[in-house]
Amino acid sequence: MPTSFLEIVELPDGRIALRRADDEEELVILDFSESAKNFLQGHHIEVAKAMLNVGVQMAGRLAEGDFESDELPRVLH
Protein backbone atom coordinates (compact mmCIF):
# COMPACT_ATOMS: atom_id res chain seq x y z
CA MET A 1 0.00 0.00 0.00
CA PRO A 2 1.50 3.36 -0.93
CA THR A 3 2.42 5.66 1.92
CA SER A 4 -0.21 8.32 2.52
CA PHE A 5 -1.88 10.03 5.41
CA LEU A 6 -4.76 8.18 6.99
CA GLU A 7 -7.76 9.73 8.65
CA ILE A 8 -10.48 8.46 10.92
CA VAL A 9 -13.91 9.84 10.10
CA GLU A 10 -17.44 9.39 11.36
CA LEU A 11 -19.72 8.59 8.44
CA PRO A 12 -23.20 10.13 8.17
CA ASP A 13 -24.75 6.83 9.33
CA GLY A 14 -22.65 6.84 12.54
CA ARG A 15 -20.10 4.21 11.50
CA ILE A 16 -16.41 5.00 11.99
CA ALA A 17 -14.10 4.63 8.98
CA LEU A 18 -10.38 4.63 8.30
CA ARG A 19 -9.44 5.97 4.89
CA ARG A 20 -6.65 7.70 3.02
CA ALA A 21 -6.84 11.46 3.41
CA ASP A 22 -6.85 11.91 -0.36
CA ASP A 23 -9.53 9.29 -1.09
CA GLU A 24 -13.18 8.71 -0.16
CA GLU A 25 -12.89 4.90 -0.19
CA GLU A 26 -13.00 3.35 3.27
CA LEU A 27 -10.21 0.92 4.14
CA VAL A 28 -11.80 -0.25 7.40
CA ILE A 29 -15.25 0.40 8.87
CA LEU A 30 -16.24 -0.04 12.51
CA ASP A 31 -19.92 -0.29 13.32
CA PHE A 32 -20.82 -0.24 17.02
CA SER A 33 -24.24 -1.55 18.00
CA GLU A 34 -26.49 0.71 20.03
CA SER A 35 -25.96 -1.49 23.08
CA ALA A 36 -22.16 -1.16 22.68
CA LYS A 37 -22.49 2.62 22.35
CA ASN A 38 -24.62 2.70 25.50
CA PHE A 39 -22.12 0.51 27.35
CA LEU A 40 -19.28 2.84 26.29
CA GLN A 41 -21.33 5.83 27.49
CA GLY A 42 -20.73 7.87 24.36
CA HIS A 43 -16.98 7.12 24.18
CA HIS A 44 -17.20 4.80 21.16
CA ILE A 45 -15.27 7.29 19.01
CA GLU A 46 -12.28 7.12 21.38
CA VAL A 47 -12.48 3.31 21.44
CA ALA A 48 -12.62 3.23 17.61
CA LYS A 49 -9.55 5.48 17.41
CA ALA A 50 -7.64 3.16 19.75
CA MET A 51 -8.70 0.06 17.81
CA LEU A 52 -7.71 1.56 14.47
CA ASN A 53 -4.41 2.88 15.86
CA VAL A 54 -3.38 -0.59 17.02
CA GLY A 55 -4.49 -2.09 13.71
CA VAL A 56 -2.39 0.37 11.70
CA GLN A 57 0.62 -0.32 13.94
CA MET A 58 0.19 -4.06 13.41
CA ALA A 59 -0.14 -3.60 9.65
CA GLY A 60 3.11 -1.61 9.70
CA ARG A 61 4.87 -4.39 11.59
CA LEU A 62 3.58 -6.95 9.10
CA ALA A 63 4.73 -4.83 6.15
CA GLU A 64 8.21 -4.51 7.66
CA GLY A 65 8.44 -8.24 8.34
CA ASP A 66 8.70 -7.53 12.07
CA PHE A 67 6.03 -9.98 13.14
CA GLU A 68 6.39 -13.62 14.10
CA SER A 69 3.40 -15.71 13.17
CA ASP A 70 2.58 -19.03 14.77
CA GLU A 71 1.65 -21.92 12.54
CA LEU A 72 -0.67 -23.20 15.25
CA PRO A 73 -4.44 -22.73 15.00
CA ARG A 74 -5.54 -19.43 16.53
CA VAL A 75 -8.53 -18.71 18.68
CA LEU A 76 -9.93 -15.22 18.20
CA HIS A 77 -11.83 -13.70 21.10
Side-chain angles (χ1 to χ4, degrees):
M1 180 183 301
T3 302
S4 62
F5 290 101
L6 299 174
E7 62 183 7
I8 298 171
V9 297
E10 184 172 12
L11 300 174
D13 63 5
R15 296 179 302 158
I16 311 301
L18 176 70
R19 65 184 183 196
R20 291 185 186 93
D22 58 355
D23 192 356
E24 292 292 315
E25 180 185 2
E26 293 88 10
L27 302 170
V28 176
I29 297 175
L30 296 175
D31 188 7
F32 289 91
S33 68
E34 284 305 314
S35 64
K37 288 178 183 179
N38 291 334
F39 175 78
L40 295 171
Q41 300 177 0
H43 297 286
H44 64 284
I45 302 289
E46 290 81 7
V47 172
K49 287 179 185 178
M51 293 169 69
L52 292 168
N53 185 23
V54 172
V56 168
Q57 288 177 17
M58 177 65 79
R61 287 178 56 198
L62 287 169
E64 293 173 0
D66 186 28
F67 184 78
E68 296 178 19
S69 70
D70 297 332
E71 296 297 322
L72 302 173
R74 299 184 316 174
V75 176
L76 306 175
H77 13 132

